[in-house]
mmCIF file of all heavy atoms in Angstrom:
data_model
loop_
_atom_site.group_PDB
_atom_site.id
_atom_site.type_symbol
_atom_site.label_atom_id
_atom_site.label_comp_id
_atom_site.label_asym_id
_atom_site.label_seq_id
_atom_site.Cartn_x
_atom_site.Cartn_y
_atom_site.Cartn_z
ATOM 1 N N ALA A 1 109.414 24.858 85.793
ATOM 2 C CA ALA A 1 108.251 24.491 84.990
ATOM 3 C C ALA A 1 107.234 23.775 85.857
ATOM 4 O O ALA A 1 107.571 23.170 86.882
ATOM 5 C CB ALA A 1 108.658 23.594 83.812
ATOM 6 N N THR A 2 105.971 23.846 85.441
ATOM 7 C CA THR A 2 104.933 23.063 86.091
ATOM 8 C C THR A 2 105.123 21.591 85.739
ATOM 9 O O THR A 2 105.938 21.227 84.902
ATOM 10 C CB THR A 2 103.551 23.540 85.628
ATOM 11 O OG1 THR A 2 103.532 23.623 84.193
ATOM 12 C CG2 THR A 2 103.219 24.903 86.191
ATOM 13 N N GLY A 3 104.320 20.736 86.344
ATOM 14 C CA GLY A 3 104.408 19.299 86.096
ATOM 15 C C GLY A 3 104.519 18.544 87.405
ATOM 16 O O GLY A 3 104.075 19.014 88.466
ATOM 17 N N ASN A 4 105.108 17.352 87.348
ATOM 18 C CA ASN A 4 105.312 16.560 88.559
ATOM 19 C C ASN A 4 106.577 15.737 88.401
ATOM 20 O O ASN A 4 107.137 15.617 87.313
ATOM 21 C CB ASN A 4 104.097 15.666 88.853
ATOM 22 C CG ASN A 4 103.792 14.708 87.710
ATOM 23 O OD1 ASN A 4 104.550 13.770 87.463
ATOM 24 N ND2 ASN A 4 102.694 14.949 87.003
ATOM 25 N N THR A 5 107.023 15.155 89.487
ATOM 26 C CA THR A 5 108.305 14.455 89.508
ATOM 27 C C THR A 5 108.231 13.052 88.927
ATOM 28 O O THR A 5 109.260 12.377 88.835
ATOM 29 C CB THR A 5 108.831 14.366 90.948
ATOM 30 O OG1 THR A 5 107.849 13.703 91.766
ATOM 31 C CG2 THR A 5 109.094 15.752 91.503
ATOM 32 N N THR A 6 107.045 12.573 88.544
ATOM 33 C CA THR A 6 106.926 11.226 87.991
ATOM 34 C C THR A 6 106.697 11.223 86.488
ATOM 35 O O THR A 6 106.557 10.159 85.898
ATOM 36 C CB THR A 6 105.777 10.463 88.673
ATOM 37 O OG1 THR A 6 104.538 11.145 88.427
ATOM 38 C CG2 THR A 6 106.004 10.360 90.171
ATOM 39 N N ASP A 7 106.650 12.399 85.859
ATOM 40 C CA ASP A 7 106.400 12.479 84.421
ATOM 41 C C ASP A 7 107.475 13.353 83.791
ATOM 42 O O ASP A 7 107.419 14.570 83.829
ATOM 43 C CB ASP A 7 105.008 13.061 84.152
ATOM 44 C CG ASP A 7 104.573 12.897 82.703
ATOM 45 O OD1 ASP A 7 105.437 12.551 81.864
ATOM 46 O OD2 ASP A 7 103.386 13.102 82.396
ATOM 47 N N ARG A 8 108.467 12.695 83.194
ATOM 48 C CA ARG A 8 109.608 13.418 82.631
ATOM 49 C C ARG A 8 109.331 13.928 81.230
ATOM 50 O O ARG A 8 110.132 14.689 80.677
ATOM 51 C CB ARG A 8 110.846 12.515 82.629
ATOM 52 C CG ARG A 8 110.666 11.278 81.812
ATOM 53 C CD ARG A 8 111.459 10.088 82.258
ATOM 54 N NE ARG A 8 111.692 9.948 83.659
ATOM 55 C CZ ARG A 8 110.814 9.437 84.539
ATOM 56 N NH1 ARG A 8 109.621 9.034 84.104
ATOM 57 N NH2 ARG A 8 111.103 9.342 85.810
ATOM 58 N N VAL A 9 108.240 13.513 80.594
ATOM 59 C CA VAL A 9 107.960 13.902 79.215
ATOM 60 C C VAL A 9 106.768 14.853 79.112
ATOM 61 O O VAL A 9 106.207 15.033 78.027
ATOM 62 C CB VAL A 9 107.724 12.655 78.329
ATOM 63 C CG1 VAL A 9 109.018 11.899 78.123
ATOM 64 C CG2 VAL A 9 106.658 11.743 78.926
ATOM 65 N N SER A 10 106.392 15.470 80.193
ATOM 66 C CA SER A 10 105.296 16.440 80.144
ATOM 67 C C SER A 10 105.462 17.450 81.268
ATOM 68 O O SER A 10 105.856 17.101 82.385
ATOM 69 C CB SER A 10 103.942 15.740 80.284
ATOM 70 O OG SER A 10 102.893 16.688 80.317
ATOM 71 N N THR A 11 105.175 18.713 80.961
ATOM 72 C CA THR A 11 105.170 19.774 81.968
ATOM 73 C C THR A 11 103.763 20.325 82.165
ATOM 74 O O THR A 11 103.581 21.428 82.666
ATOM 75 C CB THR A 11 106.125 20.908 81.549
ATOM 76 O OG1 THR A 11 105.847 21.300 80.203
ATOM 77 C CG2 THR A 11 107.573 20.462 81.647
ATOM 78 N N ASN A 12 102.755 19.547 81.755
ATOM 79 C CA ASN A 12 101.365 19.972 81.903
ATOM 80 C C ASN A 12 100.880 19.777 83.333
ATOM 81 O O ASN A 12 101.284 18.847 84.030
ATOM 82 C CB ASN A 12 100.459 19.162 80.964
ATOM 83 C CG ASN A 12 100.672 19.500 79.512
ATOM 84 O OD1 ASN A 12 100.749 20.672 79.146
ATOM 85 N ND2 ASN A 12 100.775 18.491 78.663
ATOM 86 N N GLN A 13 99.999 20.667 83.759
ATOM 87 C CA GLN A 13 99.296 20.536 85.025
ATOM 88 C C GLN A 13 97.807 20.513 84.721
ATOM 89 O O GLN A 13 97.269 21.459 84.138
ATOM 90 C CB GLN A 13 99.619 21.708 85.949
ATOM 91 C CG GLN A 13 98.800 21.737 87.226
ATOM 92 C CD GLN A 13 99.096 20.559 88.128
ATOM 93 O OE1 GLN A 13 100.240 20.330 88.496
ATOM 94 N NE2 GLN A 13 98.069 19.804 88.498
ATOM 95 N N THR A 14 97.133 19.412 85.056
ATOM 96 C CA THR A 14 95.704 19.273 84.772
ATOM 97 C C THR A 14 94.897 20.067 85.780
ATOM 98 O O THR A 14 95.122 19.978 86.995
ATOM 99 C CB THR A 14 95.295 17.792 84.805
ATOM 100 O OG1 THR A 14 96.063 17.072 83.831
ATOM 101 C CG2 THR A 14 93.822 17.631 84.490
ATOM 102 N N MET A 15 93.952 20.850 85.286
ATOM 103 C CA MET A 15 93.078 21.616 86.173
ATOM 104 C C MET A 15 92.063 20.678 86.834
ATOM 105 O O MET A 15 91.705 19.639 86.298
ATOM 106 C CB MET A 15 92.332 22.697 85.379
ATOM 107 C CG MET A 15 93.236 23.707 84.717
ATOM 108 S SD MET A 15 92.259 25.004 83.895
ATOM 109 C CE MET A 15 93.532 25.819 82.934
ATOM 110 N N GLY A 16 91.570 21.130 87.993
ATOM 111 C CA GLY A 16 90.611 20.328 88.745
ATOM 112 C C GLY A 16 91.237 19.740 89.985
ATOM 113 O O GLY A 16 91.026 18.564 90.306
ATOM 114 N N GLN A 17 92.047 20.542 90.689
ATOM 115 C CA GLN A 17 92.725 20.090 91.904
ATOM 116 C C GLN A 17 92.128 20.755 93.145
ATOM 117 O O GLN A 17 92.829 21.003 94.128
ATOM 118 C CB GLN A 17 94.224 20.413 91.813
ATOM 119 C CG GLN A 17 94.900 19.968 90.535
ATOM 120 C CD GLN A 17 94.893 18.464 90.378
ATOM 121 O OE1 GLN A 17 95.050 17.732 91.344
ATOM 122 N NE2 GLN A 17 94.698 17.999 89.151
ATOM 123 N N ASP A 18 90.816 21.039 93.092
ATOM 124 C CA ASP A 18 90.134 21.696 94.209
ATOM 125 C C ASP A 18 90.802 23.015 94.584
ATOM 126 O O ASP A 18 90.922 23.367 95.764
ATOM 127 C CB ASP A 18 90.083 20.778 95.438
ATOM 128 C CG ASP A 18 89.213 19.558 95.204
ATOM 129 O OD1 ASP A 18 88.196 19.685 94.497
ATOM 130 O OD2 ASP A 18 89.569 18.472 95.699
ATOM 131 N N PHE A 19 91.266 23.745 93.531
ATOM 132 C CA PHE A 19 91.921 25.035 93.715
ATOM 133 C C PHE A 19 93.242 24.930 94.460
ATOM 134 O O PHE A 19 93.748 25.926 94.994
ATOM 135 C CB PHE A 19 91.013 26.034 94.445
ATOM 136 C CG PHE A 19 89.769 26.404 93.679
ATOM 137 C CD1 PHE A 19 88.689 26.974 94.328
ATOM 138 C CD2 PHE A 19 89.674 26.167 92.320
ATOM 139 C CE1 PHE A 19 87.540 27.316 93.628
ATOM 140 C CE2 PHE A 19 88.531 26.505 91.618
ATOM 141 C CZ PHE A 19 87.457 27.071 92.267
ATOM 142 N N ASN A 20 93.796 23.751 94.530
ATOM 143 C CA ASN A 20 95.096 23.595 95.182
ATOM 144 C C ASN A 20 96.186 24.197 94.309
ATOM 145 O O ASN A 20 96.029 24.329 93.093
ATOM 146 C CB ASN A 20 95.383 22.109 95.430
ATOM 147 C CG ASN A 20 96.429 21.893 96.497
ATOM 148 O OD1 ASN A 20 96.911 22.843 97.106
ATOM 149 N ND2 ASN A 20 96.790 20.646 96.717
ATOM 150 N N LYS A 21 97.310 24.547 94.933
ATOM 151 C CA LYS A 21 98.412 25.180 94.212
ATOM 152 C C LYS A 21 99.176 24.151 93.383
ATOM 153 O O LYS A 21 99.155 22.956 93.674
ATOM 154 C CB LYS A 21 99.338 25.891 95.199
ATOM 155 C CG LYS A 21 98.681 27.055 95.937
ATOM 156 C CD LYS A 21 99.616 27.670 96.944
ATOM 157 C CE LYS A 21 99.765 26.791 98.170
ATOM 158 N NZ LYS A 21 98.516 26.659 98.926
ATOM 159 N N TYR A 22 99.876 24.637 92.356
ATOM 160 C CA TYR A 22 100.647 23.759 91.480
ATOM 161 C C TYR A 22 102.097 23.671 91.954
ATOM 162 O O TYR A 22 102.615 24.585 92.593
ATOM 163 C CB TYR A 22 100.648 24.287 90.030
ATOM 164 C CG TYR A 22 99.291 24.387 89.393
ATOM 165 C CD1 TYR A 22 99.062 25.275 88.350
ATOM 166 C CD2 TYR A 22 98.225 23.607 89.827
ATOM 167 C CE1 TYR A 22 97.823 25.380 87.741
ATOM 168 C CE2 TYR A 22 96.979 23.694 89.233
ATOM 169 C CZ TYR A 22 96.772 24.586 88.189
ATOM 170 O OH TYR A 22 95.548 24.677 87.597
ATOM 171 N N GLN A 23 102.717 22.561 91.575
ATOM 172 C CA GLN A 23 104.144 22.421 91.817
ATOM 173 C C GLN A 23 104.925 23.176 90.737
ATOM 174 O O GLN A 23 104.548 23.164 89.576
ATOM 175 C CB GLN A 23 104.553 20.950 91.776
ATOM 176 C CG GLN A 23 103.893 20.075 92.826
ATOM 177 C CD GLN A 23 104.375 18.648 92.719
ATOM 178 O OE1 GLN A 23 105.455 18.312 93.198
ATOM 179 N NE2 GLN A 23 103.589 17.804 92.093
ATOM 180 N N LEU A 24 106.004 23.791 91.130
ATOM 181 C CA LEU A 24 106.941 24.415 90.192
ATOM 182 C C LEU A 24 108.293 23.746 90.403
ATOM 183 O O LEU A 24 108.902 23.870 91.472
ATOM 184 C CB LEU A 24 107.041 25.923 90.428
ATOM 185 C CG LEU A 24 107.590 26.761 89.272
ATOM 186 C CD1 LEU A 24 106.709 26.606 88.035
ATOM 187 C CD2 LEU A 24 107.698 28.225 89.648
ATOM 188 N N LEU A 25 108.747 22.999 89.399
ATOM 189 C CA LEU A 25 109.904 22.130 89.538
ATOM 190 C C LEU A 25 111.087 22.650 88.726
ATOM 191 O O LEU A 25 110.916 23.423 87.784
ATOM 192 C CB LEU A 25 109.544 20.713 89.076
ATOM 193 C CG LEU A 25 108.303 20.104 89.737
ATOM 194 C CD1 LEU A 25 107.934 18.809 89.057
ATOM 195 C CD2 LEU A 25 108.545 19.869 91.213
ATOM 196 N N VAL A 26 112.283 22.193 89.081
ATOM 197 C CA VAL A 26 113.477 22.548 88.326
ATOM 198 C C VAL A 26 113.494 21.698 87.056
ATOM 199 O O VAL A 26 113.714 20.487 87.111
ATOM 200 C CB VAL A 26 114.754 22.315 89.151
ATOM 201 C CG1 VAL A 26 115.989 22.620 88.319
ATOM 202 C CG2 VAL A 26 114.736 23.189 90.405
ATOM 203 N N ASP A 27 113.263 22.342 85.921
ATOM 204 C CA ASP A 27 113.216 21.655 84.636
ATOM 205 C C ASP A 27 114.594 21.600 83.985
ATOM 206 O O ASP A 27 114.918 20.632 83.288
ATOM 207 C CB ASP A 27 112.217 22.385 83.720
ATOM 208 C CG ASP A 27 111.869 21.591 82.483
ATOM 209 O OD1 ASP A 27 111.799 20.348 82.570
ATOM 210 O OD2 ASP A 27 111.670 22.207 81.422
ATOM 211 N N ARG A 28 115.392 22.643 84.203
ATOM 212 C CA ARG A 28 116.771 22.691 83.714
ATOM 213 C C ARG A 28 117.653 23.370 84.757
ATOM 214 O O ARG A 28 117.213 24.293 85.442
ATOM 215 C CB ARG A 28 116.883 23.450 82.385
ATOM 216 C CG ARG A 28 116.231 22.772 81.196
ATOM 217 C CD ARG A 28 116.361 23.623 79.956
ATOM 218 N NE ARG A 28 115.601 23.059 78.836
ATOM 219 C CZ ARG A 28 115.377 23.692 77.691
ATOM 220 N NH1 ARG A 28 115.876 24.911 77.501
ATOM 221 N NH2 ARG A 28 114.672 23.115 76.738
ATOM 222 N N ALA A 29 118.896 22.912 84.829
ATOM 223 C CA ALA A 29 119.899 23.542 85.701
ATOM 224 C C ALA A 29 121.255 23.096 85.179
ATOM 225 O O ALA A 29 121.643 21.946 85.367
ATOM 226 C CB ALA A 29 119.700 23.128 87.160
#
């Protein structure tokens, strides 16, 4: 899932990152 490693209650990725790529993290395993 998208998101970041410091926010466990959201998988949202905010647009406006100077076209930088998004992180794809392990949400379940």
Side-chain angles (χ1 to χ4, degrees):
T2 49
N4 59 70
T5 57
T6 62
D7 192 348
R8 61 209 33 81
V9 290
S10 176
T11 50
N12 290 314
Q13 173 65 56
T14 301
M15 299 184 192
Q17 310 296 322
D18 294 325
F19 296 162
N20 200 3
K21 296 177 285 295
Y22 299 155
Q23 298 181 80
L24 200 60
L25 307 171
V26 177
D27 192 35
R28 292 178 187 170

